[in-house]
Amino acid sequence: MGFRDQPRHSGIFLDFDGTISDIAPTPGGAVLHPRAAEILPRLARHYPLCILSGRRAADVASLVGLPRIHYVGVHGMEWLEGDEPRLDPEVLPYLPALDRARAEIREVLPGLPGVNLEDKVASLTLHFREAPRSEEQAVRLAEGLALRLGLRARRGRRSVEIRPPVEIDKGTVIIRLARGWKLRRALFAGDDLTDVDGFRGLRYLMREGGFEGVAVAVLSGETPVELEAVADLTVQGPEGLIDLLTGLLLD
Ligand SMILES: [Mg+2]
């Protein structure tokens, strides 16, 4: 038995940036890959389909712009109910600390040219893709704030994120949804460090038994070795992933 035999019990979980979109110089420049726009609605007719991003849930929903897809944002800390964003209740006690971090970042940001702040409410991401020379300062700033305010700093690709110290990540989301949707198997594809959490979620479900997980690393010139090392399959960029997903189409 496989995905195509039991589509209702076979989940497809996908990261967005670098996975079903090509990496853009700025977060605002990313667009859904045109071939993904063609096949995702066809997959969503048969398979439970979730886009699981570090972006805000409404942001990734508007970038993908397709119905019948479950959108989860900020690495699992936010999701959409209808069009309304909902924060995980575990995050709420940390909002005042995030407010303080946001205010301090805004004060020092003019001294870090080319570094952009992406405010995701439940977390704050400093992007330095366009300012590699500011990387060290941006990371030091994030780590300092996190330590002082009881938050956590986490590296991503050309970015660093300040987030609450709660055990919510792409893996815990996959575990929760796989149970809720009564999945017997799931595929998760991602390209970055936070996607390793998703792979870990699949492994956890497999250890429980009766579950088949497929961890797909989407490779680029910037793939973290940690991701590739723990993947079941690797594909070359969004094109390679879309080729793989095309094999799951039922009509
Ligand atoms: Mg990504």
Side-chain angles (χ1 to χ4, degrees):
M1 296 298 266
F3 281 76
R4 292 165 52 96
D5 302 311
Q6 293 183 312
R8 287 281 157 232
H9 294 288
S10 306
I12 299 174
F13 295 85
L14 305 170
D15 167 52
F16 178 74
D17 290 87
T19 296
I20 51 171
S21 80
D22 291 316
I23 287 290
T26 60
V31 290
L32 179 65
H33 193 290
R35 286 181 60 210
E38 199 263 318
I39 67 162
L40 292 184
R42 294 169 63 195
L43 290 168
R45 276 207 292 274
H46 301 280
Y47 298 93
L49 179 50
C50 174
I51 310 278
L52 190 43
S53 174
R55 290 175 180 265
R56 292 206 69 185
D59 179 19
V60 73
S62 77
L63 284 167
V64 175
L66 298 168
R68 278 192 288 201
I69 291 178
H70 195 74
Y71 294 100
V72 177
V74 205
H75 310 295
M77 291 188 279
E78 186 187 68
W79 58 89
L80 292 183
E81 274 177 26
D83 288 335
E84 285 301 306
R86 292 275 179 263
L87 283 183
D88 192 292
E90 279 192 57
V91 169
L92 302 180
Y94 298 97
L95 293 180
L98 285 162
D99 286 343
R100 282 201 292 278
R102 183 183 299 107
E104 291 195 32
I105 289 169
R106 287 198 175 132
E107 257 175 52
V108 300
L109 214 51
L112 295 170
V115 178
N116 298 304
L117 169 64
E118 187 186 3
D119 184 356
K120 299 190 272 192
V121 183
S123 83
L124 304 164
T125 301
L126 292 169
H127 293 274
F128 39 81
R129 175 169 295 278
E130 291 181 297
R133 271 175 295 176
S134 300
E135 171 168 351
E136 204 187 312
Q137 267 177 291
V139 171
R140 212 181 314 128
L141 170 66
E143 288 176 347
L145 286 170
L147 192 65
R148 187 150 48 78
L149 298 171
L151 298 167
R152 199 179 280 170
R154 201 169 169 187
R155 287 299 302 269
R157 204 144 99 167
R158 308 276 188 265
S159 65
V160 61
E161 178 163 46
I162 302 171
R163 51 164 291 163
V166 295
E167 299 308 319
I168 299 172
D169 58 38
K170 291 187 177 184
T172 63
V173 172
I174 290 174
I175 293 167
R176 179 164 55 81
L177 292 179
R179 286 176 177 155
W181 293 344
K182 301 191 175 6
L183 299 182
R184 295 181 189 142
R185 65 189 64 71
L187 172 154
F188 173 59
D191 71 312
D192 203 349
L193 277 180
T194 59
D195 299 314
V196 175
D197 297 327
F199 293 180
R200 206 174 289 128
L202 292 178
R203 300 276 182 268
Y204 181 89
L205 291 165
M206 289 168 80
R207 276 198 305 275
E208 284 191 326
F211 186 89
E212 178 194 352
V214 184
V216 183
V218 180
L219 305 186
S220 72
E222 302 177 353
T223 308
V225 286
E226 296 93 325
L227 183 81
E228 197 175 344
V230 293
D232 299 310
L233 286 176
T234 57
V235 293
Q236 289 300 328
E239 287 277 354
L241 175 66
I242 293 161
D243 289 342
L244 177 76
L245 294 175
T246 300
L248 300 180
L249 287 173
L250 289 161
D251 54 36

